Amino acid sequence: MAKSSADDEELRRACEAAIEGTEQKIVLSIRVAKSHGIWGKSGKLGRHMAKPRVLALSTKSKGQRTTAFLRVLKYSTGGVLEPAKLYKLNHLSKVEVIANDPSGCSFTLGFDNLRSQSVTPPQWTMRNIDDRNRLLFCILNICKDVLGRLPKVVGIDVVEMALWAKENTPTVPKQMNQQDGVPVAATATESDLKVTVERELVSQAEEEDMEALLGNYLMGIGEAEVFSERLKRELLALEAANVHAILESEPLIEEVLQGLEAATCCVDDMDEWLGIFNVKLRHMREGIESIETRNNKLEMQSVNNVSLIEELDKLLERLRVPSEVKEKCTELEKLKTMFVRRASEFLRNYFASLVDFMISDKSYFSQRGQLKRPDHADLRYKCRTYARLLQHLKSLDKNCLGPLRKAYCSSLNLLLRREAREFANELRASTKASRNPTVWLEASAGSSHSSHNADTSAVSEAYAKMLTIFIPLLVDESSFFAHFMCFEVPALVPPGGVANGNKGGYNDANDNDDLGIMDIDENDGKAGKNSADLAALNESLQDLLNGIQEDFYAVVDWAYKIDPLRCISMHGITERYLSGQKADAAGFVRLLLGDLESRISVQFTRFVDEACHQIERNERNVRQMGVLSYISRFATLATRMEQYIQGQSRDLVDQAHTKFVSIMFVTLEKIAQTDPKYADVFLLENYAAFQNSLYDLANVVPTLAKFYHQASEAYEQACTRHISMIILYQFEKLFQFTRKIEDLMFTITPEEIPFQLGLSKMDLRKMLKSTLSGVDKSISAMYKRLQKNLTSEELLPSLWDKCKKDFLDKYESCVQLVAKIYPNESIPSVSEMRELLASM
């Protein structure tokens, strides 16, 4: 390496001035040709390059610890160096020369403390190879001396670097000497360095070994490239030999793979066995749980038996049987009365305590953000414990069951109403649906019609969920009550059966309604249907379930306010549940569903009546022109109603269709009568719009098909009247003349008609001349008159075709009549008139 020039010394002093105050010493400073260069695929330097920079290596000592830095300095606007970026060499992990730079002057430094792996490492391009080597040698020496380690070097030919190091002695700043207070830079030769580049890359012993190796190949130390190529070829040969050795060891590899496959099979078998053991253990756990459940029941039964025996012992102690027979009966009657009274009092308090316990626990009810399905399995289980006691009480005193039934109904009614109220409130609060306006057919609705497209299916789903949860619950409660309270009526459903039309039904888990009522005295036989018991049952069910309907009504009213058309789907849902309730014990549930169906029908009828009032309000508006707003909107309303039909709600929708269209047609006729001059145009446009908008629906809905045909007939009649008026207006003289002839033919012979006043041949010629001399202009005027008052341009072609056809028919009859009465007179033929009309 060449010694530092005066320019390098000046650059070093400028760098020291730039970092003054940092307590760092400059070891080497060198200019960079380009920094952060971008190299393309072709290996050429990119266009957009940063301004030249200066790289300076500096160290800072603090006690026994020395830190090395790589500083990047840039020139300011005034040409003064100033710090730009700082890298710590402690984190230097890699030095790599850019392979696609033909000059070899570009390199990158990799640091292990970059925050993101996607950040490009710093890259510089030196002015020449000597500058690059000076900088890299100095960095390697500092890393070795200060840090005690070397970074990874990539892309540098070691032999080439060694040769370059022998030919160049690097000059690096060693230390600063103070002479008369002025710092003087001292230089160090290669011998002064603790670790030279040559020693760092190739030691003396390694160099001797290398020379001996080169001697074996008859090469000198300067033939590095040839030696390198030779070593590459030998390396390739060694790699090929390794590959060959690997291929020869293929049988061993096959054995290893077979061993691995066998081990895999063993693992799979073990996994299968573990799965089998897991299933067996799960079955054992279920068996253990079942055994524990039965043990718990037996334990409770044992406790109850002990308590019962104790009570019976107490009764036996107090029991005194008189010697006389009559006194024995009296004493037994007193004992019976006392037993019935005390047992009834106990059961009343027991029912109340069960319900009070459930009402006091909020976890039994729906809460904010959580819908809770009512679960009465535990309640029924606890009540079922005293089913036999109730049967005994009935056999002792039938009248005692009345108060017990009322007490049970009163207590359970509070629970059911609380459950229904909390469930309905949370159901409405958790259902998100946009509200549809109730104004469908009013003219003032304007552009807000698009808001009717909001999806309100969540409303019907909420109502269906209410019925799905509570109707089976109420049916099950009615059935349980009928059995538990010893009513002699047929069972609602078999235990565990479906309580409604829904296949899922409502079933309490492991709920068995075998109350053991009928097996107390098997000789009594199976109880038949008892009308008195059925009436008493219905009265008790009224007490049991009364008031719960209000929560169902609240859901219906809420759904109506959001979207009145949802009454259609709710009606169908209610009808499906209603058709599933056939048993006697479900009497109140049938009444509840019937009331719900009636309320839904009333609400929907209210909507229909209001929509009809909206239609009738069009009658009071100022003169109407064109298609009325409710004509086109009805198609949208009818389509939406058809989409909501479920089950038996077809009749409800057909009734609404009939009422809507009847009011629409009546109102249309009334509005048309307010301006007779334009009545036919107004009618035909509206009837045509009605047919066009309902064409698809009329093909699938019989009720709408009937009104579609009615509108078609009214349209044809209005067209005929309007076209006849236009034809007569334009060719009035021609057809008046013809009409006079037709009237006279009833009283005189055709030969006498030409001699009548105003019907002579001369009169005929004058009439034809005045009427048909400019017939093309008259036809054009007829077309313009037809077009003048028509607001629906799409109807014009069909109306004009009909107008030409009617005119030709009238004209043909006129030609035939003239030929018959005036055989020698000429008149334009029908074919000529047809050709003229076709050209228009």
Side-chain angles (χ1 to χ4, degrees):
M1 277 186 155
K3 293 185 179 180
S4 299
S5 63
D7 181 60
D8 292 339
E9 182 63 25
E10 182 180 355
L11 179 62
R12 184 182 61 77
R13 286 197 295 270
C15 291
E16 288 179 342
I19 65 171
E20 185 177 2
T22 62
E23 299 181 359
Q24 297 181 14
K25 295 181 180 180
I26 297 296
V27 178
L28 175 68
S29 58
I30 189 167
R31 285 187 174 86
V32 182
K34 298 290 182 180
S35 62
H36 299 280
I38 301 175
W39 297 92
K41 294 182 179 179
S42 61
K44 296 182 179 181
L45 195 61
R47 294 181 180 178
H48 304 289
M49 305 296 294
K51 294 181 179 180
R53 299 286 191 266
V54 174
L55 295 180
L57 295 173
S58 62
T59 59
K60 179 179 179 181
S61 298
K62 188 173 182 181
Q64 295 182 354
R65 183 180 178 184
T66 303
T67 306
F69 302 94
L70 172 63
R71 283 189 169 274
V72 183
L73 299 101
K74 66 179 181 179
Y75 287 97
S76 64
T77 307
V80 179
L81 279 176
E82 58 183 18
K85 200 166 184 63
L86 177 67
Y87 298 95
K88 284 188 177 183
L89 294 182
N90 303 54
H91 299 285
L92 181 64
S93 60
K94 182 179 178 182
V95 178
E96 180 178 3
V97 174
I98 302 301
N100 59 354
D101 179 11
S103 66
C105 297
S106 298
F107 63 92
T108 61
L109 298 180
F111 294 89
D112 57 11
N113 64 338
L114 290 178
R115 294 182 179 179
S116 174
Q117 295 297 329
S118 61
V119 176
T120 306
Q123 176 179 326
W124 293 280
T125 301
M126 309 307 293
R127 293 176 298 180
N128 49 54
I129 292 294
D130 289 340
D131 285 353
R132 185 203 74 178
N133 290 343
R134 288 174 57 201
L135 179 63
L136 294 184
F137 285 150
C138 191
I139 290 174
L140 293 174
N141 275 330
I142 291 176
C143 289
K144 179 65 177 178
D145 293 345
V146 177
L147 306 178
R149 64 176 179 82
L150 285 175
K152 183 179 180 181
V153 180
V154 181
I156 302 176
D157 193 330
V158 177
V159 178
E160 179 187 350
M161 294 287 283
L163 294 175
W164 185 90
K166 290 177 70 71
E167 296 172 1
N168 298 273
T169 304
T171 302
V172 295
K174 182 178 180 183
Q175 61 182 1
M176 299 300 296
N177 297 328
Q178 297 290 335
Q179 295 181 0
D180 300 330
V182 179
V184 177
T187 60
T189 63
E190 182 181 1
S191 59
D192 296 328
L193 293 173
K194 292 181 181 179
V195 180
T196 64
V197 173
E198 182 180 359
R199 288 175 184 172
E200 183 61 41
L201 299 177
V202 183
S203 65
Q204 185 65 32
E206 290 172 340
E207 184 178 357
E208 293 174 357
D209 293 339
M210 190 177 295
E211 289 177 351
L213 182 61
L214 291 174
N216 294 334
Y217 291 99
L218 300 178
M219 295 179 184
I221 194 72
E223 297 177 309
E225 294 182 359
V226 178
F227 180 62
S228 177
E229 290 297 327
R230 180 67 176 270
L231 289 178
K232 288 181 180 178
R233 289 196 296 273
E234 291 189 359
L235 178 61
L236 292 175
L238 290 173
E239 289 180 349
N242 288 337
V243 172
H244 182 70
I246 291 173
L247 292 176
E248 287 181 347
S249 62
E250 183 178 359
L252 296 177
I253 295 174
E254 289 293 336
E255 291 181 6
V256 173
L257 291 176
Q258 291 176 1
L260 290 175
E261 186 175 356
T264 303
C265 292
C266 291
V267 170
D268 292 339
D269 293 341
M270 188 176 296
D271 182 66
E272 185 175 353
W273 279 106
L274 289 175
I276 294 173
F277 291 148
N278 188 27
V279 171
K280 291 183 177 180
L281 288 174
R282 186 169 68 250
H283 290 167
M284 289 176 63
R285 283 196 298 270
E286 293 175 355
I288 292 171
E289 291 177 357
S290 177
I291 292 171
E292 288 180 350
T293 302
R294 289 198 295 270
N295 288 341
N296 291 336
K297 292 181 178 179
L298 291 173
E299 224 173 279
M300 181 177 294
Q301 186 176 0
S302 176
V303 172
N304 291 334
N305 289 338
V306 171
S307 300
L308 180 60
I309 290 173
E310 291 177 355
E311 289 294 327
L312 291 176
D313 289 339
K314 293 178 180 178
L315 287 174
L316 289 175
E317 291 177 358
R318 299 171 55 186
L319 183 62
R320 183 182 62 82
V321 181
S323 57
E324 296 296 330
V325 179
K326 187 175 182 179
E327 292 182 1
K328 290 181 181 179
C329 294
T330 305
E331 187 66 21
L332 289 175
E333 187 68 27
K334 290 181 180 179
L335 289 175
K336 182 191 75 170
T337 304
M338 181 177 65
F339 175 77
V340 170
R341 179 175 54 78
R342 293 184 61 183
S344 299
E345 183 179 357
F346 166 77
L347 289 176
R348 285 196 297 270
N349 295 334
Y350 183 71
F351 297 150
S353 64
L354 287 179
V355 173
D356 291 343
F357 173 77
M358 295 182 68
I359 290 179
S360 62
D361 189 353
K362 293 183 179 180
S363 63
Y364 281 100
F365 307 102
S366 298
Q367 301 178 28
R368 187 171 185 178
Q370 180 185 9
L371 284 174
K372 179 74 173 179
R373 177 191 289 267
D375 185 3
H376 293 179
D378 185 61
L379 175 66
R380 294 177 188 173
Y381 174 78
K382 293 177 179 178
C383 291
R384 193 180 297 118
T385 306
Y386 299 99
R388 289 182 179 274
L389 177 60
L390 284 171
Q391 185 65 24
H392 286 299
L393 290 176
K394 180 182 179 181
S395 63
L396 291 175
D397 184 5
K398 289 185 178 181
N399 296 328
C400 72
L401 290 180
L404 281 177
R405 291 168 179 172
K406 286 188 175 295
Y408 179 87
C409 292
S410 177
S411 298
L412 196 61
N413 179 262
L414 296 176
L415 178 63
L416 290 172
R417 293 183 62 179
R418 171 76 179 278
E419 289 172 336
R421 182 173 65 255
E422 299 294 344
F423 189 91
N425 291 340
E426 180 55 31
L427 185 66
R428 286 177 288 174
S430 61
T431 303
K432 306 300 180 184
S434 301
R435 176 170 295 188
N436 268 343
T438 58
V439 178
W440 278 83
L441 304 177
E442 193 168 20
S444 61
S447 61
S448 65
H449 184 60
S450 60
S451 62
H452 295 126
N453 296 326
D455 183 16
T456 58
S457 58
V459 173
S460 296
E461 293 171 0
Y463 176 75
K465 182 180 291 185
M466 185 78 178
L467 295 188
T468 302
I469 297 298
F470 277 93
I471 293 302
L473 172 67
L474 299 181
V475 172
D476 288 348
E477 286 298 332
S478 300
S479 178
F480 177 81
F481 176 75
H483 285 74
F484 180 60
M485 286 298 174
C486 307
F487 286 98
E488 295 180 358
V489 293
L492 178 64
V493 289
V498 180
N500 62 350
N502 187 3
K503 292 183 179 180
Y506 178 92
N507 291 321
D508 290 329
N510 301 322
D511 187 13
N512 183 2
D513 281 341
D514 183 13
L515 304 180
I517 295 175
M518 302 306 298
D519 58 354
I520 292 178
D521 188 357
E522 296 181 356
N523 295 325
D524 289 345
K526 189 173 182 180
K529 183 175 180 181
N530 189 307
S531 58
D533 262 15
L534 183 58
L537 174 61
N538 288 331
E539 184 179 350
S540 297
L541 290 178
Q542 181 76 18
D543 296 335
L544 177 67
L545 305 177
N546 189 33
I548 198 172
Q549 65 270 21
E550 298 300 328
D551 297 297
F552 288 88
Y553 294 162
V555 174
V556 170
D557 297 343
W558 163 77
Y560 173 80
K561 290 178 181 178
I562 292 179
D563 186 359
L565 295 182
R566 284 294 166 184
C567 290
I568 299 172
S569 55
M570 291 192 298
H571 187 276
I573 294 169
T574 308
E575 180 63 31
R576 184 176 73 246
Y577 276 91
L578 185 59
S579 62
Q581 310 306 324
K582 302 297 184 182
D584 292 331
F588 182 82
V589 178
R590 288 200 303 272
L591 292 176
L592 172 62
L593 291 171
D595 291 343
L596 278 176
E597 190 177 43
S598 299
R599 192 176 187 91
I600 293 170
S601 299
V602 168
Q603 293 284 35
F604 185 68
T605 303
R606 172 185 168 191
F607 163 74
V608 173
D609 292 340
E610 179 59 30
C612 290
H613 291 320
Q614 295 167 12
I615 296 173
E616 292 172 341
R617 279 196 285 270
N618 286 272
E619 182 183 345
R620 298 192 292 270
N621 292 341
V622 189
R623 176 191 169 191
Q624 303 280 344
M625 293 295 292
V627 179
L628 295 175
S629 59
Y630 66 75
I631 294 292
S632 57
R633 290 176 187 168
F634 173 72
T636 305
L637 175 61
T639 302
R640 181 66 66 87
M641 288 194 296
E642 291 295 325
Q643 292 173 349
Y644 289 168
I645 291 179
Q646 292 188 19
Q648 302 298 322
S649 54
R650 172 79 266 170
D651 294 340
L652 186 70
V653 175
D654 285 344
Q655 293 172 8
H657 287 331
T658 301
K659 191 166 186 177
F660 279 140
V661 179
S662 299
I663 293 295
M664 287 166 57
F665 285 178
V666 170
T667 304
L668 184 63
E669 295 290 342
K670 288 182 179 180
I671 295 174
Q673 296 305 319
T674 57
D675 192 354
K677 182 178 180 181
Y678 302 101
D680 292 330
V681 177
F682 178 74
L683 289 175
L684 68 88
E685 284 185 326
N686 279 274
Y687 282 124
F690 180 84
Q691 294 178 79
N692 291 336
S693 61
L694 283 179
Y695 178 78
D696 294 332
L697 278 179
N699 286 326
V700 294
V701 181
T703 302
L704 292 179
K706 179 184 68 175
F707 290 109
Y708 181 89
H709 294 307
Q710 181 180 340
S712 178
E713 293 175 1
Y715 169 79
E716 292 295 333
Q717 294 173 4
C719 286
T720 301
R721 291 195 301 269
H722 182 60
I723 290 172
S724 298
M725 184 269 294
I726 291 177
I727 293 173
L728 292 175
Y729 179 84
Q730 203 64 39
F731 296 94
E732 184 178 7
K733 293 181 180 180
L734 175 63
F735 295 116
Q736 278 185 354
F737 192 88
T738 304
R739 193 179 302 113
K740 288 180 181 179
I741 295 175
E742 290 175 344
D743 293 341
L744 287 173
M745 288 181 69
F746 289 104
T747 56
I748 61 177
T749 62
E751 292 78 8
E752 297 177 355
I753 291 178
F755 302 101
Q756 299 299 317
L757 182 64
L759 296 177
S760 65
K761 294 183 178 179
M762 185 63 64
D763 294 330
L764 173 65
R765 295 187 191 121
K766 289 181 181 180
M767 182 273 296
L768 292 176
K769 183 178 181 180
S770 62
T771 304
L772 300 179
S773 58
V775 66
D776 54 344
K777 294 181 180 179
S778 299
I779 293 174
S780 298
M782 187 168 59
Y783 177 80
K784 292 179 181 179
R785 188 172 184 84
L786 181 66
Q787 184 185 28
K788 178 179 180 182
N789 297 317
L790 200 65
T791 59
S792 302
E793 292 293 333
E794 65 274 8
L795 297 177
L796 183 59
S798 62
L799 287 176
W800 177 235
D801 290 340
K802 182 174 177 58
C803 183
K804 291 189 292 184
K805 180 180 180 302
D806 289 357
F807 175 72
L808 281 175
D809 292 341
K810 291 179 182 293
Y811 185 74
E812 184 176 5
S813 63
C814 180
V815 170
Q816 293 175 355
L817 192 62
V818 170
K820 182 177 181 180
I821 304 300
Y822 308 96
N824 298 324
E825 296 297 323
S826 63
I827 184 172
S829 66
V830 176
S831 59
E832 291 176 358
M833 191 63 69
R834 183 179 290 107
E835 292 177 358
L836 180 62
L837 287 172
S839 64
M840 299 299 290

